[in-house]
Amino acid sequence: MLRSHTCGELRLEHVNQSVFLSGWVQKSRDLGGMTFVDIRDRYGLTQLVFNMETQPELCQLARKLGREFVISIRGKVAERSSKNPKMPTGDVEIIVDELEVLNKAKLPPFTIEDETDGGEEIRMKYRYLDLRRSPLRRNLELRHRLSIATRNYLDKQNFFEIETPYLIKSTPEGARDFVVPSRMNPNEFYALPQSPQTFKQLLMVAGYDRYYQIVKCFRDEDLRADRQPEFTQIDCEMAFVQQEDILNTFEGLARYLFQEVKGIDIKEFPRMQYSDAMKFYGSDKPDIRFDMKFVELNELTQNKGFKVFDESELVVGINAKACSEFSRKELDALTDFVKRPQTGAKGLVYVKYNTDGSFKSSVDKFYTPEDLKLWAEKMSAEPGDLMLVLSGETDKTRKALSDLRLELGKQLGLRNPNVFAPLWVVDFPLLEWNEDTNRYHAMHHPFTSPKPEDIHLLDQNPGDVRANAYDMVINGVEIGGGSIRIHDRGLQKLMFKHLGFSDEDAQAQFGFLMDAFEFGAPPHGGLALGFDRLTALLGGSDSIRDYIAFPKNNTGRDVMIDSPSPVAQEQLDELFLQLLKKK
Amino acid sequence: MLRSHTCGELRLEHVNQSVFLSGWVQKSRDLGGMTFVDIRDRYGLTQLVFNMETQPELCQLARKLGREFVISIRGKVAERSSKNPKMPTGDVEIIVDELEVLNKAKLPPFTIEDETDGGEEIRMKYRYLDLRRSPLRRNLELRHRLSIATRNYLDKQNFFEIETPYLIKSTPEGARDFVVPSRMNPNEFYALPQSPQTFKQLLMVAGYDRYYQIVKCFRDEDLRADRQPEFTQIDCEMAFVQQEDILNTFEGLARYLFQEVKGIDIKEFPRMQYSDAMKFYGSDKPDIRFDMKFVELNELTQNKGFKVFDESELVVGINAKACSEFSRKELDALTDFVKRPQTGAKGLVYVKYNTDGSFKSSVDKFYTPEDLKLWAEKMSAEPGDLMLVLSGETDKTRKALSDLRLELGKQLGLRNPNVFAPLWVVDFPLLEWNEDTNRYHAMHHPFTSPKPEDIHLLDQNPGDVRANAYDMVINGVEIGGGSIRIHDRGLQKLMFKHLGFSDEDAQAQFGFLMDAFEFGAPPHGGLALGFDRLTALLGGSDSIRDYIAFPKNNTGRDVMIDSPSPVAQEQLDELFLQLLKKK
């Protein structure tokens, strides 16, 4: 027998029982006549005791155990004389009678402790050692708990989990596909799914009504810090529903997960129009853990001789409560922050509303205290507050002020990762203009339905058409999104036309879906939640990599298995492929 | 509101309630002043009534509804005068007050009924219509139920579901990989996993102890009737276990699934040595729903002048109980059956043990009734039985007799798909000789551990080395298999050597695993169950395609979406790939 109990299980009630434990040597200490060894497994740590006087051979053997050796012991549970209240098993120890070394271990390249001394790169290469550390183990356990809870919630709501194929068809719309050459169909390719979108819609046409899947998706994009080429979605679709049905169902899921897995009771999600999110937070994923809403100041700032504001499309500020005593240095740092290339503001105007009621601003030359008083009133600023104002072209200015707002929120401790503030952002635009391709692209995807009352705008003002589209946002992170879909062939065709598809291209790529719409397609819609991100969020982190067992690095490599890698010439021959040298 | 109830929900208790239903028109009948429409959704059928006298306009509209139109109605539940006991909703009907056509439907290319008139090909092309049929809906529901039950069972047993990557590394061992060209690492490729084998082993090294995953796997093989390029496994691994722990855990899972999903109580699984399975059933996946064991007759058949038997390595028969009255024609058909190329026997010897105690055989020239009496005794044949005997080279003869045994079992009605006879086949050989490559291959895979007591045979008699490997077999179908793995670098290296790897190749391809074994790898093992096949089996079918939402055809094509397909030249350019023409 290799174990009768786990290393996290034994308590005072087990005293005098004979037990078998197996696990890894966490650490050992020689104290004169005694050797203490902590043995570790997934479930915890238990202290083993070897006595030099009564069992000298065994104790000698124990003294030779190195860190991370795999051992198996038989022994008797005893009450500790000095208990350790920090360990769940801290009331007991095991007086060992037999010890077997199941496998030796070389010295690990970094310490297997909660706080390790290993750098990112070495920990990725030896991921199987990094995964031994408790923080990562807790992350993967959280992920497991979330997936079980998600499935049980959706099952109770009559959703079926239905697997959709991984070898599908490449389409040029959206992000870049990973492709898979077909040997049986030479010179043809499958694509790995960016999402099961069309398949879940076909399941609605097939009458499945409530579908979900926790499923891997793939995007061949240049990776940013927190992107992975393969990622996991909770993918869902419902038929015979309106937008509210979907929002309520998945708000229910999210609240259930918070309750079930974190023990946190989340209130009803507020709903915010996309236009309001942009106006008041400068972002379609506002962090509403804190207020600090945008206030537009154009009316109050014009024609006072300050050319910068006079020539700006938008003058907009935020009120940093109780920050009027920010130092010159702090204000300079904020100015530097908004001038970073990724934020891109030209400068930052500040107005201190001092506790004595006076004002001190970087634009005192142009605005009188009376002017600034009006600003303060509009921004609900009180003595002791600090007003920060940006100006320029609307979209860019909002984006920059959003960056500043989040940075200030961080500095002021308003973004506690253990506080959760979810909301729905609704009524997204259907289309967005793309400067590079010089045409409109679908903001969500080409299957999103326009609001019926806006369809008439499609020809004249396509950018003004709102979609039946919504995002779930928590703590400033887009956790997921979805839409009510088009279920009518004519409207879908019109949509493809507006996205620049020729009729032939639309038919070649999505003909199967448009054909399906002619055989009795029900009204339907759905959403997809980013499972990696959701897990990281509930774990109180913003790094998804720590919540994925075997992630890839920023160049898409798995440095542990050293992949991707060259393949044999015969494999290429079978696929009728030839490699070209990169110039 | 699109629906207040489903189409399978309404009963007498709902009479007089006002309800909203949505669904598809299953059929409609005009009976003079009344029109009856059956409306269908995933949950059932409900009868709608339109009255020409009281609501002529509505009734006219109803008369125009075609099959598979999507409609939504408001109406009042009424008790039927003539009830339909075959329908769960057959006690009631809905007197319709409002009718909306949500979407029209073209006439489907085949009937959406339990028994359809559509051929395989057209049903694959319009899979979303085929999936509307109840038998397929029940199959996918069964699949969903099985996956939920599997997860809940394993979760209760402390297994974590941990996702392993889909973009991994190509290795030449085993079946052919699907490969995925990397754009960010030009001229290098990922491979799609044939199984998460090495990753689950690394999770054991990482201390996760009990891992599972319901996961897609990929093999680029020439497809046989019941193979798919992508298939789903219940993939599991455990550490600190011996073979019995694994067998008991997953026998427990299988019995739980039968109980939970089918309401069937399965007894303990018998365990059969691989050598016995081959000796008594001629197969490593014996169908033990019926007996008809092989009986070897070499001793009783030699030196009687029948050269065929004298020169055979093996003479072996089965006893077909109560079949002595088989006609000439029936016996000829069996002979033709064993002579088919895929079975490959040269002929079939029969011995009728007539009800009057006499014998009639195809070898009466060589064997006296007394000789045949001895055969009968050895085969436990009684008057009325039919003995069928094959001879030749051992492996081929066993395979042929196994085919014959299964065929007879089918003809005699001994293979009821609703009777389930599982077993474990254990102690598989470690290696098998491959004629094509002229070397030994791993019978399971290169990570399977040899039995310690057999390791000394590796050099002299590699074919005799038994492995700690086991298969779960139900009704003659291999549902899954696994092994205790090697967890020692030296033994793994030795194994690769015996499989013809150079040290360099072994290190290049599996170095990460062998390295991991040096950092404290625990004893571990696991198994994988074929989820498609398990579902089909529990559904009482042997066609996995009917249990997959969107299967591919025999050339690996998805005919619905028309994939694989050519990709754009720019895509190839980005991947530094050039297509070669197939000669």
Side-chain angles (χ1 to χ4, degrees), chain B residues 80-96:
Chain B
R80 281 206 214 181
S81 51
S82 65
K83 302 194 169 55
N84 180 348
K86 285 185 197 150
M87 282 169 76
T89 63
D91 287 350
V92 298
E93 59 193 9
I94 315 296
I95 313 297
V96 177

Side-chain angles (χ1 to χ4, degrees), chain B residues 532-565:
Chain B
D532 306 303
R533 211 165 288 282
L534 178 67
T535 310
L537 182 93
L538 269 88
S541 164
D542 53 10
S543 161
I544 63 170
R545 216 181 267 181
D546 292 340
Y547 293 81
I548 295 172
F550 298 103
K552 295 193 171 49
N553 76 6
N554 281 348
T555 61
R557 291 200 77 79
D558 182 328
V559 296
M560 180 184 72
I561 63 170
D562 191 24
S563 164
S565 59

Side-chain angles (χ1 to χ4, degrees), chain A residues 547-559:
Chain A
Y547 294 80
I548 295 173
F550 299 103
K552 295 192 172 49
N553 74 8
N554 280 348
T555 62
R557 290 201 78 79
D558 182 328
V559 295

Side-chain angles (χ1 to χ4, degrees), chain A residues 86-147:
Chain A
K86 284 185 198 153
M87 283 169 75
T89 65
D91 287 350
V92 299
E93 59 194 10
I94 315 296
I95 314 296
V96 177
D97 292 317
E98 277 175 38
L99 163 66
E100 188 187 353
V101 176
L102 297 173
N103 215 341
K104 292 184 179 181
K106 292 204 296 197
L107 194 69
F110 49 87
T111 55
I112 315 289
E113 307 272 3
D114 286 11
E115 297 293 328
T116 178
D117 58 356
E120 171 86 8
E121 202 163 327
I122 190 101
R123 288 189 290 116
M124 287 282 273
K125 182 166 163 61
Y126 296 95
R127 183 72 172 176
Y128 47 87
L129 297 179
D130 204 24
L131 286 172
R132 283 186 192 164
R133 298 191 306 115
S134 303
L136 280 163
R137 202 202 62 235
R138 281 193 296 265
N139 291 354
L140 294 192
E141 176 163 9
L142 172 66
R143 190 176 175 114
H144 166 67
R145 292 269 147 262
L146 282 172
S147 78

Side-chain angles (χ1 to χ4, degrees), chain B residues 93 109 297 461 473 530:
Chain B
E93 59 193 9
L297 297 170
N461 300 304
V473 174

Side-chain angles (χ1 to χ4, degrees), chain A residues 16-121:
Chain A
N16 283 324
Q17 287 188 19
S18 182
V19 296
F20 294 81
L21 298 182
S22 291
W24 286 262
V25 172
Q26 178 73 17
K27 62 178 176 190
S28 67
R29 285 148 293 153
D30 292 329
L31 298 179
M34 311 280 270
T35 293
F36 296 93
V37 173
D38 283 350
I39 182 172
R40 184 197 73 230
D41 66 12
R42 197 183 102 192
Y43 310 90
L45 284 172
T46 301
Q47 177 167 292
L48 309 177
V49 186
F50 299 85
N51 190 320
M52 193 50 132
E53 214 159 293
T54 57
Q55 299 206 287
E57 274 180 47
L58 203 60
C59 197
Q60 288 293 4
L61 184 56
R63 287 185 177 184
K64 287 186 196 129
L65 294 174
R67 274 178 180 256
E68 302 303 318
F69 274 40
V70 187
I71 62 172
S72 178
I73 62 103
R74 186 176 62 76
K76 190 170 273 185
V77 184
E79 184 169 359
R80 281 206 213 181
S81 50
S82 64
K83 301 192 169 53
N84 180 347
K86 284 185 198 153
M87 283 169 75
T89 65
D91 287 350
V92 299
E93 59 194 10
I94 315 296
I95 314 296
V96 177
D97 292 317
E98 277 175 38
L99 163 66
E100 188 187 353
V101 176
L102 297 173
N103 215 341
K104 292 184 179 181
K106 292 204 296 197
L107 194 69
F110 49 87
T111 55
I112 315 289
E113 307 272 3
D114 286 11
E115 297 293 328
T116 178
D117 58 356
E120 171 86 8
E121 202 163 327

Side-chain angles (χ1 to χ4, degrees), chain A residues 204-479:
Chain A
M204 295 305 107
V205 177
Y208 284 76
D209 208 70
R210 293 181 161 218
Y211 143 94
Y212 82 97
Q213 196 180 183
I214 300 184
V215 63
K216 274 276 175 79
C217 300
F218 305 85
R219 268 180 215 167
D220 185 11
E221 288 178 339
D222 297 321
L223 300 175
R224 284 186 261 143
D226 205 30
R227 284 270 180 95
Q228 288 281 317
E230 47 179 307
F231 54 97
T232 306
Q233 282 188 356
I234 304 174
D235 190 54
C236 305
E237 197 80 3
M238 302 170 82
F240 300 117
V241 288
Q242 285 150 343
Q243 179 166 312
E244 273 302 304
D245 300 306
I246 297 180
L247 301 194
N248 289 331
T249 302
F250 293 97
E251 180 172 329
L253 169 64
R255 291 168 71 186
Y256 177 81
L257 293 179
F258 274 102
Q259 184 56 256
E260 190 74 8
V261 176
K262 299 284 288 183
I264 295 176
D265 193 24
I266 298 275
K267 302 223 172 358
E268 254 182 47
F269 290 20
R271 278 132 209 227
M272 192 184 292
Q273 302 250 331
Y274 169 87
S275 53
D276 284 345
M278 298 311 291
K279 188 179 169 78
F280 295 119
Y281 299 92
S283 167
D284 59 1
K285 38 179 192 281
D287 184 347
I288 58 167
R289 277 175 296 185
F290 63 108
D291 198 18
M292 214 186 278
K293 281 205 196 72
F294 291 12
V295 179
E296 300 187 354
L297 297 171
N298 291 49
E299 282 178 27
L300 300 180
T301 55
Q302 302 303 293
N303 304 318
K304 302 282 181 172
F306 188 41
K307 234 174 123 186
V308 174
F309 280 4
D310 285 349
E311 289 171 358
S312 286
E313 187 181 4
L314 180 68
V315 180
V316 60
I318 50 178
N319 175 10
K321 297 297 293 177
C323 294
S324 70
E325 315 235 314
F326 265 34
S327 66
R328 180 80 235 168
K329 200 172 148 198
E330 285 170 305
L331 289 170
D332 284 349
L334 290 180
T335 305
D336 289 345
F337 176 84
V338 299
K339 284 173 148 179
R340 299 175 314 161
Q342 62 267 47
T343 294
K346 296 219 174 64
L348 174 65
V349 168
Y350 71 84
V351 182
K352 289 181 172 183
Y353 194 171
N354 296 316
T355 45
D356 63 4
S358 66
F359 290 95
K360 171 81 194 86
S361 84
S362 55
V363 287
D364 284 349
K365 233 194 293 183
F366 305 106
Y367 299 94
T368 64
E370 290 69 34
D371 291 333
L372 298 176
K373 188 83 199 289
L374 290 175
W375 296 20
E377 273 166 24
K378 185 137 195 208
M379 297 176 80
S380 308
E382 302 167 300
D385 291 353
L386 170 70
M387 294 177 273
L388 297 165
V389 182
L390 293 178
S391 65
E393 189 269 314
T394 299
D395 291 353
K396 286 181 187 154
T397 305
R398 284 178 170 171
K399 154 96 180 53
L401 192 60
S402 171
D403 286 359
L404 178 64
R405 176 180 176 272
L406 292 175
E407 173 64 20
L408 267 172
K410 196 169 80 180
Q411 289 185 17
L412 300 174
L414 303 172
R415 301 178 70 193
N416 180 346
N418 296 311
V419 169
F420 298 96
L423 78 156
W424 289 107
V425 178
V426 300
D427 296 352
F428 274 79
L430 183 69
L431 303 165
E432 60 183 347
W433 184 256
N434 185 306
E435 305 266 327
D436 297 337
T437 58
N438 212 32
R439 67 169 173 91
Y440 279 101
H441 284 240
M443 193 148 183
H444 274 69
H445 53 54
F447 315 107
T448 298
S449 65
K451 288 199 178 285
E453 63 269 32
D454 288 0
I455 291 182
H456 70 280
L457 299 170
L458 258 178
D459 281 323
Q460 284 84 354
N461 299 306
D464 289 349
V465 177
R466 291 166 307 156
N468 289 313
Y470 34 81
D471 276 0
M472 184 191 287
V473 174
I474 308 182
N475 293 4
V477 177
E478 180 200 326
I479 288 300

